[in-house]
Amino acid sequence: MSNSIIANQAEHFFGDVCNNFDHAAQFTNHDAGLLDQIKSCNSVYRFRFPIRRGNGFEVIDAWRIEHSHHQSPTKGGIRYSEMVNEDEVMALAALMTYKCAIVNVPFGGAKGGIKINPKNYTLQELENITRRYTVELIKKNFIGPSVDVPAPDYGSGEREMGWIADTYATMNPGQLDALGAVTGKPLALHGIAGRREATGRGVAIAVRECVSVAEDMAKLGLTTGITGKKIIVQGLGNVGYHSAKFLTEFGGIIVGLCEFEGAIYNEDGLDVEEVFQHRKATGSILGFSGAKKEFKNSMEGLEQPCDILVPAALENQITEANIKNIKAKIIAEGANGPTTPGAEAAFYSKGGIIIPDMYANAGGVTVSYFEWLKNLSHVAFGRMNRRFEENSNLNLVNTVESITGISLSPIQRSSIIKGASELELVNSGLEDTMIRSYHEIRETYKSNSKIDTQRTAAFVGAINKIAVSYQNLGVWP
């Protein structure tokens, strides 16, 4: 697909989101004005700022958009990409609103964008850009633990979030909850265990829940359960890598991996960690010894035989042009907006299932919510109760052994007695959130025969929840 076609599709991303909203809204019973309020972006901040480069200056384009204030603070990542534009950031902010509602996380949606290719800048220049961006947000009150809380997105990570946290704290001396102004921070800066892999883990749990429903798998001609399912993953970044990793741990077989430089395939399975290390060493997944096929055109990798396809890169990857060649029966959207509306309609007409992005990749914001709570409470999860739980469990084991006369082995005792760590509590909360939310969407989907897709069902649920919030808030003055 040419760059001009991709750019044209990207410019209509927000329109696609709004069209999906309008389609779902007909299955709700809300006032037209209320629906318009839910759909619209409340605050759009576009700005430019200079940085020093060499002996001169460069002007950087940037955005921060708050889509909905039905809950506070608003929440959303910051994307570092030379393809960033206002329409894309608006669309991603809107998706964040609906995503938070779907998984019952009490945030409004927001998103940020900085129009750069991070690979073209030195570490010092990236730090300068990130800190200046943060100062611009502070000046307009577009960041704060009770106002708007950024997070990582495409092109950014823990390092950038650390710079943002430090800048915000420096500009707000004495603010007790300053570190709650951003999530996705390094653990050393009061981040939370499990945040880095949270989105990928959430995608894997979403897929596992989908294939666990016997009724739905029978319609697809697939067996129940993830064990043995053949999976292709697009993207070997944070989301794609961890999606593939956890899907493998759950029993799936990764048969294909796609990146911008090309794609590899092996119907017997690929070792994700070996591919990752190969790419780290060579700069490309091509040339991996465990691959039986490789494609210089990455998009060909999406069209190889598999049961499940996980697009975990960028938007508009599955289109009307290639959907007829997609052999998967389930598409799990790890990325935001990877499937165009026309492609989705065609895929459902073939009897497939799409696990929508608003739900599938909500693991990141779910664990960001846990990190925000941790920052506000100023105590790590499990710190106050872990030893108490272990002592209680020990007393229980001792009592059972005394009554039965049976002694457990040291390994058995240890596994029963051990209290939950922060990581275990985070993963438990994430798993519970993803499981409950999937079946909530499915129930909505099954409750009305006119609801045509799981995406529509997810929108219906989100709209209803947001509408209740706005109705309870009222309008003032």
Side-chain angles (χ1 to χ4, degrees):
M1 186 181 297
S2 71
N3 288 336
S4 61
I5 294 175
I6 293 173
N8 184 56
Q9 289 175 334
E11 289 172 3
H12 296 90
F13 190 9
F14 183 62
D16 289 342
V17 173
C18 290
N19 288 338
N20 284 328
F21 179 97
D22 291 338
H23 177 63
Q26 65 183 311
F27 303 110
T28 68
N29 187 29
H30 301 297
D31 176 78
L34 177 58
L35 291 172
D36 186 46
Q37 170 61 39
I38 296 171
K39 181 170 66 172
S40 303
C41 284
N42 285 358
S43 304
V44 179
Y45 180 29
R46 182 189 184 279
F47 53 102
R48 309 184 83 207
F49 58 85
I51 62 162
R52 292 187 183 275
R53 283 198 92 181
N55 296 323
F57 295 89
E58 179 178 334
V59 178
I60 306 294
D61 290 291
W63 293 264
R64 186 68 184 176
I65 294 176
E66 295 172 355
H67 173 260
S68 178
H69 294 107
H70 73 286
Q71 299 275 9
S72 292
T74 53
K75 188 84 181 74
I78 302 171
R79 178 165 292 195
Y80 289 49
S81 169
E82 57 191 349
M83 299 295 288
V84 163
N85 60 68
E86 189 167 302
D87 180 89
E88 178 186 48
V89 182
M90 289 173 66
L92 294 170
L95 287 173
M96 278 299 301
T97 293
Y98 310 133
K99 183 183 301 183
C100 290
I102 288 164
V103 293
N104 299 303
V105 167
F107 291 138
K111 208 73 177 184
I114 303 177
K115 195 176 182 66
I116 61 169
N117 182 346
K119 296 178 181 179
N120 296 337
Y121 297 83
T122 67
L123 183 65
Q124 184 61 58
E125 288 169 342
L126 279 175
E127 182 175 352
N128 291 344
I129 290 169
T130 303
R131 290 183 182 276
R132 179 59 185 266
Y133 176 85
T134 307
V135 170
E136 295 295 328
L137 297 185
I138 293 169
K139 285 160 59 177
K140 296 294 185 181
N141 198 32
F142 266 72
I143 184 173
S146 62
V147 178
D148 189 353
V149 181
D153 195 78
Y154 182 83
S156 61
E158 292 179 0
R159 180 184 64 189
E160 288 76 17
M161 300 309 106
W163 291 334
I164 291 171
D166 179 64
T167 306
Y168 183 84
T170 301
M171 297 291 290
N172 293 273
Q175 186 176 120
L176 186 63
D177 296 328
L179 289 176
V182 60
T183 61
K185 303 180 295 295
L187 276 172
L189 280 179
H190 303 274
I192 195 167
R195 174 60 183 87
R196 183 183 302 171
E197 62 268 30
T199 306
R201 183 184 287 275
V203 170
I205 295 170
V207 172
R208 188 187 66 189
E209 282 308 297
C210 176
V211 300
S212 72
V213 182
E215 177 188 353
D216 296 347
M217 293 306 100
K219 292 179 181 178
L220 297 178
L222 296 175
T223 57
T224 304
I226 199 166
T227 301
K229 294 289 189 299
K230 295 187 175 183
I231 304 165
I232 293 175
V233 177
Q234 182 195 35
L236 207 55
N238 182 50
V239 178
Y241 167 73
H242 286 107
S243 296
K245 177 179 182 290
F246 292 119
L247 285 167
T248 301
E249 289 184 10
F250 292 164
I253 302 171
I254 305 300
V255 295
L257 290 167
C258 312
E259 258 294 349
F260 69 88
E261 69 270 10
I264 57 176
Y265 183 84
N266 184 340
E267 68 272 14
D268 297 322
L270 296 164
D271 187 305
V272 176
E273 188 59 37
E274 287 184 6
V275 175
F276 183 79
Q277 294 302 326
H278 170 79
R279 187 171 191 249
K280 192 174 180 180
T282 66
S284 173
I285 61 174
L286 299 178
F288 177 64
S289 60
K292 290 186 178 179
K293 295 180 183 178
E294 63 175 46
F295 311 91
K296 290 189 176 180
N297 180 356
S298 177
M299 301 304 283
E300 288 186 58
L302 305 179
E303 301 171 358
Q304 303 309 304
C306 66
D307 300 312
I308 302 164
L309 174 61
V310 182
L314 293 172
E315 59 265 19
N316 298 314
Q317 299 299 296
I318 301 172
T319 67
E320 294 91 327
N322 64 6
I323 189 63
K324 61 182 178 296
N325 300 322
I326 299 295
K327 299 175 179 63
K329 296 183 178 180
I330 299 170
I331 295 174
E333 296 182 326
N336 287 308
T339 312
T340 65
E344 179 172 29
F347 191 70
Y348 268 96
S349 70
K350 295 196 300 182
I353 292 176
I354 294 179
I355 308 174
D357 50 3
M358 296 186 301
Y359 158 71
N361 63 31
V365 73
T366 300
V367 177
S368 278
Y369 171 50
F370 300 158
E371 181 180 338
W372 181 72
L373 291 175
K374 175 184 177 179
N375 295 154
L376 297 187
S377 65
H378 301 275
V379 62
F381 289 107
R383 178 167 183 173
M384 295 184 68
N385 59 341
R386 183 173 181 178
R387 186 63 60 188
F388 177 81
E389 288 178 0
E390 290 180 351
N391 289 333
S392 298
N393 293 341
L394 176 60
N395 290 334
L396 180 62
V397 168
N398 288 338
T399 301
V400 171
E401 286 182 335
S402 175
I403 293 172
T404 63
I406 299 172
S407 297
L408 299 175
S409 70
I411 294 177
Q412 289 173 323
R413 286 174 63 89
S414 177
S415 64
I416 295 172
I417 292 169
K418 186 176 74 70
S421 66
E422 179 174 85
L423 178 60
E424 289 167 328
L425 290 169
V426 165
N427 289 342
S428 174
L430 171 59
E431 184 173 18
D432 182 69
T433 298
M434 298 303 293
I435 290 172
R436 287 175 181 270
S437 299
Y438 181 79
H439 293 288
E440 189 176 289
I441 293 168
R442 187 176 180 276
E443 283 301 312
T444 302
Y445 182 44
K446 294 295 182 180
S447 68
N448 187 335
S449 60
K450 294 182 180 179
I451 296 178
D452 49 356
T453 68
Q454 287 202 16
R455 189 186 315 279
T456 301
F459 264 101
V460 169
I463 291 169
N464 286 333
K465 292 174 187 177
I466 297 165
V468 168
S469 292
Y470 273 124
Q471 287 167 337
N472 289 336
L473 286 170
V475 178
W476 186 88

